[in-house]
Amino acid sequence: MPGRLMREGQQRIGAVVMAAGAGRRMGHIPKSLLHRDGEPLLLRQIRLLAEAGVDEAVVVLGHHADRLEPVLRQAGPAPRGMALRWVANPAPDEGPGASLRCGLAALPDGLATLLVVLADQPLLELEDLQAMLAAWRARAAGVELVVPQHAGQPGHPIVFGPLVRGQVLQAQGGAGVREWRRAHGDRVQLVPLAHARCTTDVDTPDDVQRLGRDFGVWLK
């Protein structure tokens, strides 16, 4: 009972998994259904979010919703009691901002912390999510967005709170967090990383080969 009361008293965490892309450069296949160690990347991200303590997660589907939704249904309940749902962006070609708005709108109100992850990040580990959440909790006054960075390149997961959520929900077209970040650089905290896990995704067959060659991670 004490553990349950402590959990209920903590600030709740929400997450959006971005999985609406067409995968054009990969031959129009859903990249998030590539398997790492026998597990689809999409389900791997969901598992990591649950292990990191996320309370509410939304997967945003789009071009390949007809293939991704059955995988989500067959997977059953999310681990560790995390609430999981999915929504379809009716206009996925409008850009990531439009998909993110679909996900943010599907999350319940009152979430103090929001994570955004990409469904095709094959190297992401639990410690990366934990590090970004820790950076958010320890952020300086006035910081509204925390972004991982490696070799000068920003990555995911990003973390923000209700203010950014509200302003992104009011944006139009494909505008999203990227545009907010450019307009509010003084309210963004970059988290330098010594590794490329948060900045590595797969867009082409060459990326898949490079992933195996450079990191020993082979997707199937």
Side-chain angles (χ1 to χ4, degrees):
M1 181 65 71
R4 179 181 176 184
L5 292 175
M6 182 178 296
R7 181 61 183 162
E8 290 175 349
Q10 292 175 347
Q11 292 185 325
R12 294 174 66 77
I13 303 172
V16 176
V17 182
M18 304 284 279
R24 292 183 179 89
R25 288 186 288 167
M26 191 67 77
H28 291 272
I29 68 168
K31 297 179 294 181
S32 61
L33 291 189
L34 292 170
H35 285 62
R36 176 181 173 177
D37 301 325
E39 183 180 30
L41 293 181
L42 178 60
L43 299 187
R44 186 174 188 273
Q45 305 300 65
I46 292 169
R47 174 174 58 80
L48 292 177
L49 289 171
E51 292 174 356
V54 169
D55 299 287
E56 305 270 353
V58 172
V59 180
V60 183
L61 309 177
H63 282 282
H64 298 289
D66 60 332
R67 296 184 63 182
L68 298 184
E69 186 170 348
V71 173
L72 291 168
R73 291 190 183 281
Q74 292 168 11
R80 296 177 183 264
M82 182 178 75
L84 176 66
R85 70 197 78 182
W86 48 90
V87 295
N89 177 4
D93 287 329
E94 284 191 2
S99 290
L100 179 56
R101 281 196 298 277
C102 289
L104 292 176
L107 285 169
D109 295 333
L111 297 170
T113 302
L114 296 119
L115 279 158
V116 179
V117 302
L118 308 181
D120 61 344
Q121 288 183 279
L123 299 181
L124 205 63
E125 298 291 350
L126 174 59
E127 64 191 84
D128 303 318
L129 301 178
Q130 293 172 329
M132 294 307 300
L133 289 170
W136 172 254
R137 290 191 293 268
R139 70 193 184 280
V143 170
E144 299 289 349
L145 171 65
V146 174
V147 180
Q149 184 182 56
H150 174 71
Q153 179 184 355
H156 284 79
I158 59 174
V159 191
F160 52 87
L163 185 144
V164 173
R165 178 187 186 180
Q167 295 189 6
V168 170
L169 283 171
Q170 294 174 11
Q172 300 295 320
V177 173
R178 181 183 303 175
E179 289 73 20
W180 190 94
R181 175 187 170 193
R182 289 171 178 167
H184 303 87
D186 60 331
R187 308 184 79 176
V188 178
Q189 178 177 322
L190 298 175
V191 180
L193 301 175
H195 57 77
R197 293 194 297 267
C198 290
T199 56
T200 300
D201 57 8
V202 287
D203 291 320
T204 69
D206 286 344
D207 289 341
V208 174
Q209 294 301 312
R210 191 177 304 113
L211 193 72
R213 185 173 63 248
D214 294 349
F215 298 98
V217 173
W218 295 98
L219 305 180
K220 299 180 180 179

